[in-house]
Amino acid sequence: MRPVLVTRAEPGAARTLARLEALGHGNVNAATARIVFRDAALDLETGEALALTSPNGAVAAARLTGDRALPVFTVGAATAEAARAQGFTDIVSADGDGAALAALIVDRAGGPVVHVHGRDQSFDLVSALETAGFAARGVTAYAAEPVEALSEDALTALHAGGVVLIHSPKGAERFVALARKAGVSETLATTRAAAISSAAAAPLKAAGFEQIVVAERPDEEALLEALDRALR
């Protein structure tokens, strides 16, 4: 059985590891970062809704406001589930990517939105909304702080033919940088990977990966389906 290297930031990595273990996979925690929440000022104005593009954004928003009746627009099902777990009740999901969320907000939101996001963004939602003539602003409420190095278990799994699981473009960039730092970049050409999107696969291709399976949708369910194909 090929090991699976889970590279997403903690605490998300632990959740994915638990899912994979329940499915019978052999897994290694290869988290490339850890989420650190910030005490940002949210200062919501009357009529503003929340826009969330990750489960971490849902947790961050809940830390910054006690109003759980606010309208919440989420990028996908995992973020919507995280928002419900935090007590938000008025949630609409785009079930897609950042562009789909922008389109949903333009179509459904009754007023301005506040995008609660991390320091690193793969899609600038506020700019997309402003370009569409919609009022929006962003609040940076957390950051993925990179780890110093891949663990010995992760390096062993990489040499043993492990499959790298990639949840984001930034996570792919961090993994490649850590592999180079560890002096194992020459192994990447023969390493298999499953990526959540074409954007997440791009840093892997640039680093020499030749075997990448891209998920059909930008969510973890589709990513795990891509992983199954990569493991064959």
Side-chain angles (χ1 to χ4, degrees):
M1 178 186 296
R2 290 178 181 270
V4 179
L5 287 80
V6 178
T7 64
R8 70 184 299 195
E10 287 286 19
R15 294 193 296 270
T16 298
L17 285 162
R19 289 194 68 182
L20 291 172
E21 183 176 354
L23 293 171
H25 294 293
N27 313 299
V28 175
N29 191 330
T32 58
R34 176 169 292 278
I35 298 298
V36 177
F37 292 101
R38 297 178 173 180
D39 292 326
L42 190 53
D43 299 329
L44 287 165
E45 299 178 5
T46 301
E48 285 187 317
L50 296 176
L52 305 175
T53 46
S54 73
N56 292 317
V59 175
R63 294 179 71 254
L64 300 180
T65 179
D67 187 350
R68 296 298 187 265
L70 286 166
V72 177
F73 295 89
T74 70
V75 70
T79 303
E81 182 180 350
R84 280 191 290 272
Q86 293 299 321
F88 291 103
T89 57
D90 184 2
I91 303 165
V92 181
S93 173
D95 293 330
D97 56 10
L101 176 57
L104 173 69
I105 290 170
V106 170
D107 183 56
R108 299 280 295 274
V113 300
V114 181
H115 181 202
V116 179
H117 59 79
R119 181 181 60 198
D120 302 309
Q121 301 181 71
S122 58
F123 179 82
D124 191 338
L125 179 64
V126 170
S127 291
L129 290 170
E130 290 177 340
T131 298
F134 198 91
R137 61 187 177 95
V139 173
T140 303
Y142 63 94
E145 299 295 345
V147 301
E148 291 294 323
L150 291 173
S151 68
E152 288 300 320
D153 286 345
L155 293 174
T156 298
L158 194 61
H159 286 299
V163 176
V164 179
L165 193 65
I166 297 292
H167 279 74
S168 69
K170 196 65 180 180
E173 292 174 8
R174 288 193 295 259
F175 179 79
V176 169
L178 290 169
R180 287 172 175 161
K181 184 177 180 180
V184 296
S185 56
E186 73 280 356
T187 69
L188 300 184
T190 56
T191 298
R192 298 183 186 183
I196 200 166
S197 65
S198 295
L204 304 181
K205 290 180 180 178
F209 277 80
E210 297 179 356
Q211 303 178 74
I212 307 170
V213 180
V214 179
E216 295 180 357
R217 304 178 310 280
D219 59 54
E220 191 170 67
E221 293 299 329
L223 177 58
L224 296 186
E225 292 170 4
L227 173 63
D228 285 339
R229 297 196 298 275
L231 285 167
R232 292 172 189 164

